[in-house]
């Protein structure tokens, strides 16, 4: 039997055909979902701690299942039911016989990629919050009790399961589909829940339109073997282990080489500093701490330059007097006073015969590298002239 079942198109869903895997019909020539009897793949609710995640949660679930039903877990296929909003905090598992599940997987293998998933028949019913969907097909009842729960079974078992669910999470509305089921319908008649027979009536009771395969159902694909996938992942990781190990060793070797090189550079820098300090002790800084070599050397050089400049300034008046004295010795005249004034330079008071002698003396001083300036000259009756010369050393030293 092949039916067309559309997902809610407003949610961007793709229509899939539904194929009953227990029928002898050929597979559809377009994407489809294969259904198996829900009684062979029930959802079992457990009580798992919220803190458990991943494979640890699956191991605890398997242990609880074994304790609840007795015997061994050999031959059972268990997979977490991450339906609706359950996510990693799932509390239900889909349980099947391992051999039977492998038989379903082999049965759909010829369809290849056209088979989107193999699911228990009750998961093909649409689901929404606060809504039960109950469908009767002869003596068999399929029910979807919200996004995260569902079952298939005979009417008597279905009635017992519905009564138990009504005590914990009663719905606001029930979508009743399929054939009549007197015991089920009588039970529903005793409740004040809204009873609808088509999807359009749900809008009158503020129930969102139910979605088919919109609650994560394809993730429970029974054609997929999670154990085999994990084994393949382990094999892939084992193949990657050697390259990853080599990469780690390479990184470790690079890190060690970097540490050694850094240590060598640090030792070399320390040796350079010690050598520089030894030179400074011998040449510039015999005592006292050496904290900043660059700053302390610059200070010592500046001080030396300043001292040299001051020494040169002190030597210039004597140099000028030496040069001027050699010239004055060759000329007739009498020096009455010699002084040094910072603004004027070397100042010499002298007496000469006349102004011609003064001009000749000035010319001779200039030739000797002294720049004389006649600051004052006066005539003294019967004594020639008196002159005051201010002298400065020129840039061209000329004669020594």
């Amino acid at each position: 039997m092949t039916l067309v079942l559309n997902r809610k198109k407003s949610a961007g869903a793709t229509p899939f055909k539904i194929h009953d895997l227990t029928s002898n019909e050929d597979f559809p020539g377009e994407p489809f979902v294969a259904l198996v009897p829900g009684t062979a793949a029930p959802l079992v609710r457990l009580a798992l701690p919220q803190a458990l995640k991943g494979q640890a949660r699956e191991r605890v679930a398997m242990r609880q299942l074994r304790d609840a039903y007795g015997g061994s877990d050999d031959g059972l296929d268990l997979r977490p039911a991450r339906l609706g909003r359950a996510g990693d905090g799932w509390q239900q598992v889909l349980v099947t016989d391992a051999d039977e599940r492998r038989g379903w997987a082999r049965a759909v293998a010829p369809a290849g990629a056209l088979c989107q998933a193999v699911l228990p028949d009750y998961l093909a019913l649409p689901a929404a919050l606060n809504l039960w969907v109950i469908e009767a097909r002869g003596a068999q009842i399929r029910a979807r009790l919200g996004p995260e729960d569902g079952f298939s079974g005979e009417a008597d078992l279905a009635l017992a399961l519905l009564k138990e669910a009504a005590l914990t999470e009663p719905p606001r509305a029930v979508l009743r589909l399929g054939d009549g089921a007197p015991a089920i319908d009588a039970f529903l008649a005793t409740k004040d829940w809204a009873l609808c027979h088509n999807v359009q009536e749900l809008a009158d009771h503020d129930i969102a339109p139910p979605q088919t395969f919109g609650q994560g159902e394809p993730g429970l694909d029974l054609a997929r073997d999670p154990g085999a996938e994990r084994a393949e992942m382990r094999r892939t990781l084992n193949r990657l282990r050697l390259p990853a190990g080599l990469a780690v060793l390479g990184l470790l070797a690079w890190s060690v080489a970097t540490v050694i090189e850094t240590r060598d550079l640090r030792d070399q820098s320390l040796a350079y500093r010690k050598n520089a300090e030894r030179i400074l002790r011998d040449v510039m800084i015999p005592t006292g701490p050496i904290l900043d070599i660059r700053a302390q050397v610059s200070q010592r050089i500046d001080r030396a330059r300043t001292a040299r400049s001051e020494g040169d300034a002190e030597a210039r008046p004597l140099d000028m007097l030496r040069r001027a004295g050699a010239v004055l010795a060759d000329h007739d005249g009498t020096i009455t006073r010699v002084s040094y004034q910072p603004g004027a330079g070397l100042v010499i008071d002298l007496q000469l015969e006349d102004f011609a002698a003064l001009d000749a003396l000035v010319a001779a001083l200039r030739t000797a590298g002294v720049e004389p300036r006649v600051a004052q000259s006066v005539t003294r009756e019967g004594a020639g002239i008196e002159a005051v010369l201010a002298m400065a050393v020129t840039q061209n030293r000329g004669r020594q």
Side-chain angles (χ1 to χ4, degrees):
M1 178 177 58
T2 302
L3 301 175
V4 176
L5 189 61
N6 292 329
R7 293 187 191 175
K8 187 171 177 287
K9 291 187 178 181
S10 61
T14 302
F16 290 124
K17 283 195 172 183
I18 299 298
H19 177 76
D20 186 353
L21 199 57
T22 61
S23 69
N24 295 322
E25 296 183 4
D26 295 334
F27 296 125
E30 56 188 288
F32 67 92
V33 172
L35 299 184
V36 297
T39 53
L43 279 172
V44 178
R45 181 173 293 277
L46 303 171
L48 300 173
Q50 289 295 333
L52 284 177
K53 303 295 180 184
Q55 292 189 11
R57 193 175 185 86
E58 294 183 29
R59 286 194 294 269
V60 173
M62 179 63 77
R63 186 162 59 247
Q64 285 191 12
L65 188 67
R66 183 176 59 245
D67 294 342
Y69 293 93
S72 171
D73 55 13
D74 293 339
L76 289 182
D77 181 277
L78 177 150
R79 61 193 65 208
R82 296 181 177 88
L83 296 172
R85 296 178 296 183
D88 290 336
W90 49 271
Q91 292 288 344
Q92 296 195 115
V93 291
L94 185 66
V95 182
T96 60
D97 180 81
D99 291 336
E100 196 168 17
R101 187 206 63 77
R102 285 191 287 268
W104 296 332
R106 287 192 297 269
V108 298
L114 288 178
C115 182
Q116 303 298 302
V118 176
L119 298 174
D121 54 14
Y122 55 84
L123 289 182
L125 293 174
L129 289 173
N130 303 312
L131 175 69
W132 284 2
V133 180
I134 301 174
E135 182 183 54
R137 288 187 178 182
Q140 290 292 317
I141 304 296
R142 297 192 303 168
R144 191 68 187 272
L145 310 182
E148 301 174 18
D149 200 1
F151 65 86
S152 293
E154 295 182 354
D156 292 343
L157 176 61
L159 180 59
L161 293 175
L162 292 175
K163 288 181 178 181
E164 182 180 355
L167 297 175
T168 56
E169 285 189 72
R172 288 214 316 262
V174 177
L175 179 60
R176 180 69 173 83
L177 305 174
D179 304 331
I184 302 293
D185 293 334
F187 167 71
L188 296 177
T190 63
K191 304 297 180 181
D192 58 354
W193 307 329
L195 186 61
C196 304
H197 292 85
N198 57 67
V199 174
Q200 290 73 21
E201 295 179 26
L202 296 175
D204 298 334
H205 304 283
D206 295 327
I207 301 297
Q211 298 184 45
T212 304
F213 303 140
Q215 307 295 339
E217 292 88 350
L220 294 175
D221 181 14
L222 294 172
R224 180 174 56 84
D225 185 357
E229 291 178 356
R230 284 194 291 268
E232 178 62 26
M233 183 177 294
R234 283 194 294 270
R235 287 193 292 270
T236 301
L237 291 176
N238 288 335
R239 288 195 295 269
L240 294 176
R241 186 175 298 169
L242 178 59
L246 292 176
V248 170
L249 288 177
L251 178 61
L252 180 61
W254 175 82
S255 300
V256 171
T258 301
V259 170
I260 293 174
E261 183 179 1
T262 302
R263 185 185 61 192
D264 292 343
L265 290 174
R266 185 175 63 248
D267 293 343
Q268 187 178 22
S269 175
L270 182 60
Y272 287 161
R273 179 176 177 85
K274 289 182 177 179
N275 188 44
E277 290 180 354
R278 180 181 58 79
I279 295 173
L280 287 177
R281 290 298 186 196
D282 295 340
V283 177
M284 288 188 175
I285 310 175
T287 59
I290 298 177
L291 303 177
D292 188 335
I293 294 177
R294 184 187 298 273
Q296 288 177 273
V297 169
S298 297
Q299 291 174 1
R300 291 300 176 109
I301 292 175
D302 291 342
R303 291 174 187 171
R305 286 174 179 170
T306 301
R308 181 177 178 182
S309 298
E310 292 175 353
D312 290 345
E314 293 175 356
R316 282 179 190 143
L318 297 178
D319 183 54
M320 285 187 290
L321 180 60
R322 179 177 60 81
R323 295 184 187 186
V327 175
L328 290 170
D330 295 335
H331 290 73
D332 293 334
T334 302
I335 298 174
T336 58
R337 188 176 64 172
V338 177
S339 63
Y340 176 77
Q341 299 177 11
L346 184 65
V347 179
I348 300 177
D349 295 358
L350 70 163
Q351 294 178 348
L352 296 171
E353 184 177 354
D354 51 28
F355 286 105
L358 177 59
D359 293 338
L361 177 60
V362 169
L365 288 171
R366 286 176 177 167
T367 302
V370 178
E371 186 64 34
R373 180 172 58 85
V374 180
Q376 183 179 352
S377 61
V378 296
T379 302
R380 298 297 182 187
E381 186 177 352
I385 66 171
E386 291 182 359
V388 178
L389 297 180
M391 304 177 190
V393 180
T394 63
Q395 293 298 324
N396 181 15
R397 299 269 178 171
R399 293 170 18 182
Q400 296 294 322

